Amino acid sequence: MRATLHNFAKNLDVTDLRWMPDEGFSVGRLRIELLSGLTVALALVPEAVAFAFVAGVHPLVGLYAAFLVGLITALIGGRPGMISGATGALAVVMVALVAQHGVEYLFATVVLMGLLQIFAGVMQWGKFIRLVPHPVMLGFVNGLAIVIFLAQMSQFKVPGTMVDTGHGMGGGEWLSGQPLVMMLGLVAATMAIIWVTPRITRIIPAPLAGIGIIAALVIGFGLDVPRVGDLASIQGGLPEWHIPMVPLTWETFEIILPYAVILAAIGLIESLLTLNLVGDLTGKRGGASQECIAQGLANTVTGFFGGMGGCAMIGQSMINVKSGGRTRVAGIAAAVFLLLFILVGSSVIELIPLAALVGVMFMVVIGTFAWNSLTILRKVPLMDAFVIILVTVVTVMEDLAVAVVVGVIVSALAYAWNNARRIHASTRQSIREEGAKVYEIHGPLFFGSADGFAELFDVENDPEVVIVDFADSRVVDQSALQAIEAMAAKYEAAGKRLQLRHLSRDCHRLLNKAGHLIVDSDDDPDYELAVDYDVRTGVLGGH
């Protein structure tokens, strides 16, 4: 038992949990991390409130989720510098559940969602994120940048005019005339400040400078523009322990399980892709399984404290990284600042103009969108360009999980098709066996190339002994086994023999396990001594 636990702990990619593992503690580093955390916290407020409206729950449900998920993932997550909280990708799934069954079922679903994510982390399923091709990553980044941009459009509506449509908050009157001009002007001013600040000083993060200067301008001159307080009051107390008030029945489980599975999948996919993106920016790798566990624990706890759950937030993570946040301190500080806003600072935070926060998010969109993907579309293979566009469109039209799955499937099918076209054979007379014909197979033999493999042979005109040389090929799957057996059966029916040569160790093991090889001795499938294997037919049934 002890050895099993030791091996499990050894294989689990546990990331250093120290608050400042690489950068080291210094007053300058602490200042950067705290200011970056403050910037992120300010940007979290309208996002959490807006996503709570989307899900059809009270704003504090979104704010508590942002605090708890953000704090726990910052403490034990797989990537220091990454920010998590309530997200729109999850909110759009939650809205139907809340509308049909109520918020208590949402809390129960979030708990189950967290448990599923913990299970995925323990099983180390996070490593499968490596299978996501680069074109899918580009499509993910571009699609999410567009989603972030579109999410800001609701801030250009007259506060208080949005209504509950039964599927979340929607509708509302657009700003027009002078209010719209002023809003656009302040957004542009915020973006200009963020752009110019790093060229003047790096003492304060550029997004924080943009928010602070525009907020001071609006408050000082008493400008009549939409503010955070116009969305909703963020004043509240500490989150309280709350067991979801749902019947503990099989019927309840059947209601929440489908939502929990979808939410867990979307949350992990977005978190792991964001983890890779932040890793590219910070030059760090690993931590996928640990991030799954951290996300799961965070959501489980959040469900018991009246939060709507969450996952990694690419926008806030980009703000943090671009502001200099590299350690766990920034994420912890963001969560603590957010809680202080709720407890004691609501009256001040509610005065911040939404235009300043929209300007910050617009700069995030500009920094997140992979602009180089537009120039490489003509340079990369046509299928890769198609996948980039496809994932981008599906991310915007549907959701992230569907987009990534579609992108991976299309990429896999394209890869399979390209490999299927590679299989071919060259023929020659055998040197060792007089009169025998050798087929030298090139390219992998798998489900996609099985039909092409069958077309390589001329059973009717071949001699009595045919040798298939796999030195430049691999036998991959059951379809390959079936193809070999079917071909051997054709030669057998014609009174001829089909033999296999130069099987690699993995191919030898696969064929031997299936019972296809007639092995007379404990031979070694290495190439020092070429061994020819007869093929046993009728193993899989059917020719």
Side-chain angles (χ1 to χ4, degrees), residues 36-92:
S36 181
L38 176 59
T39 308
V40 170
L42 291 171
L44 277 172
V45 172
E47 296 283 299
V49 172
F51 294 146
F53 282 148
V54 169
V57 296
H58 193 279
L60 283 177
V61 175
L63 291 167
Y64 287 152
F67 161 64
L68 289 168
V69 174
L71 178 63
I72 295 174
T73 55
L75 286 169
I76 63 172
R79 176 76 71 247
M82 197 165 80
I83 304 297
S84 296
T87 63
L90 300 182
V92 295

Side-chain angles (χ1 to χ4, degrees), residues 424-442 456-457 461-463 465-472 491 499-502 530 532:
H424 63 281
S426 57
T427 60
R428 62 177 174 82
Q429 295 299 312
S430 175
I431 299 174
R432 293 192 310 172
E433 296 191 32
E434 185 177 351
K437 183 178 181 180
V438 178
Y439 283 86
E440 295 179 338
I441 307 299
H442 304 274
L456 300 176
F457 298 88
N461 299 315
D462 279 343
V465 178
V466 172
I467 300 171
V468 185
D469 192 329
F470 283 95
D472 294 321
Y491 279 101
Q499 295 182 321
L500 311 182
R501 176 182 293 176
H502 282 157
D532 294 336

Side-chain angles (χ1 to χ4, degrees), residues 465-488:
V465 178
V466 172
I467 300 171
V468 185
D469 192 329
F470 283 95
D472 294 321
S473 181
R474 289 291 182 272
V475 181
V476 177
D477 57 13
Q478 189 269 340
S479 296
L481 298 177
Q482 186 75 52
I484 292 173
E485 181 182 318
M487 189 53 57

